[in-house]
Every structure is written in C-alpha cells, then in structure tokens.
Amino acid sequence: MTKVGIIANPAASKDIRRLVAQGRVIPDWEKVNIVRRALLGLQAVGIGEVIAMPDGSHLCRRARDDSQLSLDLSLLQMPTYHTEGDTIRAASMMEQSGVNCIITLGGDGTNRAVACGTCALPIVPISTGTNNVFPQMIEGTLAGLAAGVIASGQLPSHWASVVSKTLAVFVDGEFRDMALIDVAFSRERYVATRAIWDLSTLYEVFLTRCEPSSIGLSSVGARLEVVNSSDVGGLRYVLGDNEQGSQGVEGGIYGPAATGNPGASSTQVLAPIAPGIVADVPIAGWERLAEGRRIAVESRHSSVALDGERAFTVTPRQRVEVSIQRNGPPVVQVDRALQMAAERGLFRK
C-alpha cells in the first residue's frame, strides 16, 4: 500500500522573533486544520495509509479525528524529546518504513532536520514558520493532492520536483553539518536562543538561493544577485559596517577583481530582514558560489547558524569550510504537479 509521511513541528512560528519582530504565530489548532486538509486531499486521490511523527501537541492525532476521514493514520513508535532530533529520526524511520513522500509543516529549520534524516524522499513543505524560504504557503488540501499523486506513482516524482541544494559545513576537514538555505557566521560565541534576529552580529553568509520575494538573510542576497532553486550554485556575501564600510574584508577577496562583478564593492541594500522589519544592510562584498568547491571561512571565534538558527561554535584554531552541492531532497512543485496531473486526466472519473 502506498504510504505518505507527515512531519508537523509544533514549535514552528514560536521563537524569539515573535518578540523582536512582527513574526506571525500559527496556533496549534490551525496546524491541526492544515494537517486535516492534507489528509483529506491524500484520501481523495486514493492514499490509504499515513505515517506521522508523534509530538507533544498531538497535531496529527487531533487532525485524524474527523468523520470524513477513513484512511489509516499511525504514529511512529519513537520517543520524543522536543528537539530537532525528533524530526531527524522520524524522517529516517519513514524512509525505512517504505514511505513514498513526506508532507512537512514548519520552517526552514524543520525541513533542514528532515533532510538530515533523509534526502531520498520527495517532500511537500508547507510553511508554518517565520523567515521561510524553503517551504511555501500552500493550502493543505492542495498539498495532500500533490503528495498523493506523486507518492502513488501516478505522476513520476522527477516530472514535478526540483532536487534542492545544500550547504555542507566542514570543520578541520570533517563534515560537521548542513543547511538547505543559509549558513551564517556570527561574532557571538554562544548559541543562546538559537534564532538569528540581529544582523549586526553577523559577518559572513552563504546561500543556496536568494530571491527578491524571500525574507531574512536570503532577501539580502537577492538585492545583490538573484539565484533561484534551479540555478547552478549559490551566493556568498560579507556584511560591512555602517561606519567603517568594508573594513575587515582582507585582501580584496570579494572585490571586482576577484568576482568579475563590477557591483561587488562596498554597498548598502534595502532588505526585509524579518517580518515587519525593512533595513539598510551594509555589504562589504559578494560573489557567486560554484557547486562542489570548498570555501574557507575567516578563522575566528564565532557561532555557526544553519537555516536561521545558531547550531554550534568554532574557534580560531579550527579550519572551517563551506561547500554548496545539489544533493538535498526533491521538492515537489505543487502547482506543476497539479497541472500535470490535470493534463494527464488523473482527476477524471
């Protein structure tokens, strides 16, 4: 029987950015409604079995409590510790359980955790986080329909999905962790509240994509050069200082001579860095990133943020490198999937 997995993060949209910006809050009852609509969409295209990640808010269990639903929903048999490790283990277990597609509810961080668990399964990411670039605002019913036609094989996954890019972080030559959208280096030496909300603490950012309609660190890059999910490579930029310009950027590494880009000198961009916050951001320089090449980062005390959340710290004695690759999970393009399904007559009785 075709199986679809659902990973819903109850903590998404509840971090510190609710206090320091105008970040939206999606209550649990709305997440339950989104999951329920996704289940109804799955059921409509013949999906009979759904496997869900257990969570402290019982989102999927509550969503299943509807007289219209007859599909079989089961929870993974796993302990929950209310950390991203739950999501990583759940994604891995779903792959081992024969799941054909995963629907996620969360932000960039939630989907990064899913990718840490498995990059083999196509995913349909629904945005319920804050500065979301990877997931999109998708109506739950449509997400369920798209996931269903992909999971059942009625529509081959590679016809309607894009394999995502990742940023791999290496410390002293060994792989340490990865991100789906951005890796940022902060002058702060501690992880603390994890969420990145103050750009003045950052000095260097790597991006897999930067589109003008995004928000957060990615939006800054989009003001320098647009890179979308299907483009080859990514973008790297170094933040300057409002008073000192590009001071601290050594040896003209990011200057026009190095990048071939006449706009790669010190500048300022106007970008939406958080919900409700549009700011002038000083840029010391930027360059395009080629896939597969490791880029060394300046040696200093810093914390490393992955997809908007500080994850670990490094010291000047450690050699840190970042590389962009196209080896992430395939992301189902819902509009394309539904259009192709309609054109092939999959919704005709």
Side-chain angles (χ1 to χ4, degrees):
M1 181 181 291
T2 301
K3 302 177 184 177
V4 172
I6 295 183
I7 293 178
N9 180 7
S13 84
K14 297 178 182 178
D15 62 43
I16 193 174
R17 286 167 289 193
R18 311 280 110 32
L19 303 177
V20 299
Q22 305 299 315
R24 63 176 179 158
V25 176
I26 299 184
D28 285 352
W29 61 263
E30 175 57 17
K31 293 175 184 175
V32 170
N33 284 340
I34 293 171
V35 173
R36 181 174 293 136
R37 296 195 296 270
L39 292 174
L40 289 166
L42 290 169
Q43 180 173 279
V45 290
I47 302 300
E49 184 174 0
V50 173
I51 299 176
M53 179 185 76
D55 68 86
S57 297
H58 308 295
L59 300 178
C60 293
R61 182 179 295 174
R62 290 158 61 187
R64 174 62 181 82
D65 186 18
D66 189 290
S67 60
Q68 301 177 76
L69 287 169
S70 58
L71 51 68
D72 178 23
L73 185 145
S74 60
L75 299 179
L76 290 169
Q77 297 301 306
M78 55 173 279
T80 56
Y81 301 102
H82 310 292
T83 66
E84 71 173 12
D86 295 346
T87 300
I88 295 172
R89 288 191 303 276
S92 178
M93 291 174 68
M94 285 180 181
E95 180 184 1
Q96 296 169 16
S97 300
V99 162
N100 304 99
C101 183
I102 299 177
I103 297 174
T104 66
L105 276 73
D108 292 342
T110 301
N111 287 282
R112 185 190 76 85
V114 170
C116 287
T118 178
C119 285
L121 302 179
I123 63 175
V124 179
I126 302 175
S127 173
T128 58
T130 311
N131 294 2
N132 296 163
V133 177
F134 191 85
Q136 297 182 351
M137 298 290 293
I138 303 170
E139 207 289 320
T141 315
L142 302 181
L145 290 171
V149 296
I150 292 293
S152 63
Q154 298 177 73
L155 192 68
S157 172
H158 65 275
W159 286 10
S161 63
V162 175
V163 176
S164 53
K165 292 175 278 189
T166 66
L167 288 163
V169 182
F170 300 87
V171 178
D172 292 333
E174 299 292 329
F175 174 79
R176 177 64 185 268
D177 216 325
M178 58 81 74
L180 289 173
I181 299 298
D182 55 71
V183 173
F185 292 86
S186 169
R187 299 180 185 86
E188 296 176 322
R189 303 187 186 185
Y190 49 86
V191 172
T193 56
R194 290 176 60 87
I196 290 288
W197 57 272
D198 184 359
L199 263 65
S200 69
T201 68
L202 304 182
Y203 63 90
E204 190 163 358
V205 177
F206 293 77
L207 299 167
T208 61
R209 55 195 280 195
C210 35
E211 295 148 329
S213 58
S214 61
I215 197 166
L217 301 180
S218 180
S219 75
V220 177
R223 271 65 186 164
L224 302 168
E225 187 168 348
V226 175
V227 182
N228 62 42
S229 60
S230 59
D231 287 337
V232 175
L235 191 80
R236 171 197 195 189
Y237 64 83
V238 175
L239 289 108
D241 187 290
N242 279 313
E243 297 180 355
Q244 299 176 0
S246 60
Q247 183 174 347
V249 179
E250 300 177 357
I253 295 174
Y254 309 98
T259 64
N261 185 341
S265 56
S266 181
T267 187
Q268 276 196 346
V269 298
L270 182 69
I273 60 175
I277 299 179
V278 182
D280 291 319
V281 182
I283 302 295
W286 77 93
E287 65 175 346
R288 283 293 297 266
L289 294 176
E291 293 182 14
R293 176 189 169 203
R294 292 192 187 184
I295 305 294
V297 181
E298 179 185 356
S299 297
R300 60 192 295 175
H301 285 289
S302 61
S303 58
V304 183
L306 307 171
D307 289 331
E309 296 186 346
R310 285 182 288 266
F312 59 92
T313 59
V314 293
T315 70
R317 294 184 178 182
Q318 295 176 296
R319 186 176 80 260
V320 182
E321 299 167 300
V322 179
S323 175
I324 185 171
Q325 307 166 65
R326 190 174 291 276
N327 60 357
V331 179
V332 176
Q333 309 299 294
V334 171
D335 287 347
R336 188 190 309 175
L338 295 179
Q339 178 178 335
M340 295 183 75
E343 291 171 349
R344 289 169 63 87
L346 300 184
F347 301 131
R348 299 175 195 161
K349 296 291 188 179

